[in-house]
Amino acid sequence: MKNQLARQINGIPVSCQNQNPSSSNTSLALTHSKVDRKKNTMIRHEKKADNFVHGIREHVRLGPKISETVKGKLSLGARILQLGGVKRVFKQIFCVGEGEKLLKASQCYLSTTAGPTAGLLFISTQRVAFCSERPIKFSSSNGELVRFHYKVSIPLRKVKRVDPSENVKNPSQKYMEIVTVDNFDFWFMGFLNYQKSFNCLQQALSQS
């Protein structure tokens, strides 16, 4: 019987009646190529998701307590909403002048004598700056307990270099060291997306 024979390859019907072998091979190659592209796309998405999840775990891990971390996020989020966005928060905190543009804001931790301090790292066309999420308690010279936001502002022209580093025992824990021309160094860690923040700062420095 010369009925049409049909079979399925990867879920795609392929007719074999009066079919040129070379065209069949081409169809198979195209089919496998599409499958490979889909697999590669899925792998990239899975990798991005894994990196994002790890960033969240690392960001929360550095906080003193889960409750304190959550309170800090809520406080920061409320402030951003109140002022109408991250750009306005940046302008209010650091008295931004005309011509300066915010390029990126990243949640991270700054290493201080009191331990890792959660906050926002701002990268603009003129500076790299940090502000803590919550006010920090500090004892003044007369013994009074005062609260203030921990702030750092470094003009890009004062940045000597930016060094990426990682934990030798756990390479997924990445750090960013900013060294100034007067040899002060600032260590940032616990980024939700380390690579994007690092690349943005490098780009800002190259254009400053």
Side-chain angles (χ1 to χ4, degrees):
M1 295 177 66
K2 295 184 178 181
N3 294 332
Q4 181 178 352
L5 299 177
R7 57 175 178 167
Q8 286 191 345
I9 299 178
N10 291 327
I12 301 175
V14 179
S15 174
C16 296
Q17 184 179 13
N18 298 326
Q19 191 174 23
N20 190 326
S22 62
S23 64
S24 176
N25 290 337
T26 302
S27 299
L28 286 172
L30 290 173
T31 300
H32 287 300
S33 176
K34 289 179 180 178
V35 172
D36 289 341
R37 283 200 298 270
K38 288 181 179 179
K39 287 182 178 178
N40 290 335
T41 301
M42 290 177 64
I43 290 172
R44 286 197 299 270
H45 287 326
E46 288 175 358
K47 187 175 181 181
K48 286 182 180 179
D50 288 341
N51 289 340
F52 182 71
V53 171
H54 172 77
I56 293 175
R57 279 202 305 262
E58 180 65 11
H59 188 74
V60 173
R61 182 188 69 82
L62 289 169
K65 294 179 182 178
I66 293 293
S67 59
E68 293 298 317
T69 302
V70 172
K71 286 179 183 178
K73 303 302 177 212
L74 293 175
S75 175
L76 177 64
R79 188 175 184 186
I80 291 173
L81 288 173
Q82 184 181 12
L83 293 176
V86 176
K87 290 183 179 180
R88 291 191 177 182
V89 170
F90 173 63
K91 288 181 179 180
Q92 185 192 65
I93 295 174
F94 296 102
C95 301
V96 177
E98 292 184 6
E100 183 175 0
K101 294 182 180 180
L102 179 65
L103 302 175
K104 187 173 181 58
S106 304
Q107 292 187 49
C108 66
Y109 286 81
L110 170 64
S111 178
T112 68
T113 54
T117 300
L120 277 177
L121 178 70
F122 300 94
I123 302 172
S124 77
T125 52
Q126 295 185 22
R127 78 182 84 191
V128 54
F130 176 88
C131 182
S132 62
E133 291 178 351
R134 305 180 68 191
I136 296 174
K137 297 177 182 179
F138 177 77
S139 297
S140 63
S141 57
N142 58 5
E144 292 183 1
L145 189 64
V146 295
R147 294 172 178 264
F148 64 93
H149 283 275
Y150 194 100
K151 294 190 291 185
V152 173
S153 181
I154 310 169
L156 294 181
R157 67 180 184 276
K158 295 289 187 179
V159 177
K160 184 177 181 180
R161 68 177 188 273
V162 179
D163 296 327
S165 60
E166 59 186 31
N167 189 323
V168 177
K169 295 182 179 180
N170 188 353
S172 61
Q173 294 178 7
K174 299 183 182 299
Y175 313 105
M176 185 190 302
E177 181 189 13
I178 298 178
V179 182
T180 64
V181 292
D182 45 3
N183 292 322
F184 286 98
D185 60 328
F186 300 87
W187 286 82
F188 298 92
M189 61 203 74
F191 289 89
L192 292 180
N193 194 317
Y194 173 87
Q195 199 59 49
K196 282 187 178 180
S197 300
F198 181 79
N199 292 343
C200 182
L201 181 54
Q202 290 282 50
Q203 185 178 1
L205 288 170
S206 66
Q207 296 176 355
S208 64

